[in-house]
Amino acid sequence: MKKIDVIIVIIFIGLLFSVPIYVGKIGIITWGYWTGIISQYTFLISLLPGIHLRFDMTYGKRLYIFIRKYRRTIGITAYTAGVLHFYWSFILPNRGQFFPDLLSDWMGFVALLLLTPLFLTSNDLSLNKLGKLWKKLHLVVHLVIYLLLMHVVIKGRLTTSLVTGFVMVADVFSWVVLLMRDRREIKV
């Protein structure tokens, strides 16, 4: 992990234990909502370089390079904000018990569970040790985006649902474009 990644994790852990203690149930749920938004959008931003690369776009290079440079940090931020979202939305309001009763809660929880190994392997040591398996493991994000879309759609979050749906469709089409391009190159 880079220094900035460690700093982000430490800040989020500090927020995890300090902020919600005195804000009451309504304040905790508000913090839970906003950490969910932060988690969702940083996760979507972390997917953009892959979509950009698969579409073989020439415009937006500066933004692509910037996001690509900080992609790991953005992904770590998405995961830690997701953990805070889970903690403030479910654990604290329910006095330490987690019994999700809604399908949307289960979708979000499974997405968080699937992102955990990605978070744990988001470092150079894991990348070097796992090799090709690391890349296959990190393909899980393409399943997670479907779970997150269902999570926000069922919750009724219109704007977040539309943005997530757009990124998901772009992700799917980018894979289709890549596969079609590969098929053409094989036939030639």
Side-chain angles (χ1 to χ4, degrees), residues 7-27:
I7 291 169
I8 287 171
V9 171
I10 289 170
I11 288 170
F12 276 106
I13 289 171
L15 286 172
L16 178 70
F17 293 109
S18 62
V19 175
I21 292 172
Y22 297 105
V23 294
K25 191 167 184 172
I26 300 300

Side-chain angles (χ1 to χ4, degrees), residues 9-153:
V9 171
I10 289 170
I11 288 170
F12 276 106
I13 289 171
L15 286 172
L16 178 70
F17 293 109
S18 62
V19 175
I21 292 172
Y22 297 105
V23 294
K25 191 167 184 172
I26 300 300
I28 290 170
I29 291 169
T30 302
W31 277 91
Y33 170 78
W34 284 108
T35 52
I37 295 293
I38 291 167
S39 178
Q40 185 88 7
Y41 284 107
T42 52
F43 174 75
L44 296 175
I45 289 168
S46 74
L47 297 178
L48 294 179
I51 294 169
H52 188 274
L53 190 64
R54 286 187 294 275
F55 274 128
D56 197 22
M57 295 184 199
T58 55
Y59 61 93
K61 281 279 193 202
R62 286 185 183 163
L63 180 61
Y64 163 76
I65 290 168
F66 177 80
I67 295 173
R68 183 114 177 126
K69 182 177 181 181
Y70 295 103
R71 188 178 194 176
R72 181 182 296 173
T73 303
I74 294 167
I76 288 170
T77 302
Y79 178 79
T80 52
V83 169
L84 288 174
H85 172 64
F86 170 71
Y87 183 72
W88 287 337
S89 296
F90 301 105
I91 301 299
L92 282 181
N94 298 314
R95 296 189 173 141
Q97 299 176 359
F98 175 63
F99 299 109
D101 56 349
L102 300 172
L103 181 61
S104 65
D105 296 342
W106 278 108
M107 297 282 188
F109 183 64
V110 171
L112 186 62
L113 287 179
L114 288 173
L115 288 173
T116 300
L118 278 59
F119 169 74
L120 294 173
T121 59
S122 288
N123 55 67
D124 292 334
L125 178 67
S126 296
L127 179 62
N128 293 333
K129 291 278 185 190
L130 294 173
K132 290 183 180 183
L133 183 62
W134 185 90
K135 200 165 190 100
K136 289 179 182 179
L137 174 67
H138 283 253
L139 288 174
V140 169
V141 297
H142 305 292
L143 171 62
V144 170
I145 193 171
Y146 291 102
L147 293 170
L148 291 178
L149 177 63
M150 296 310 299
H151 176 66
V152 294
V153 165

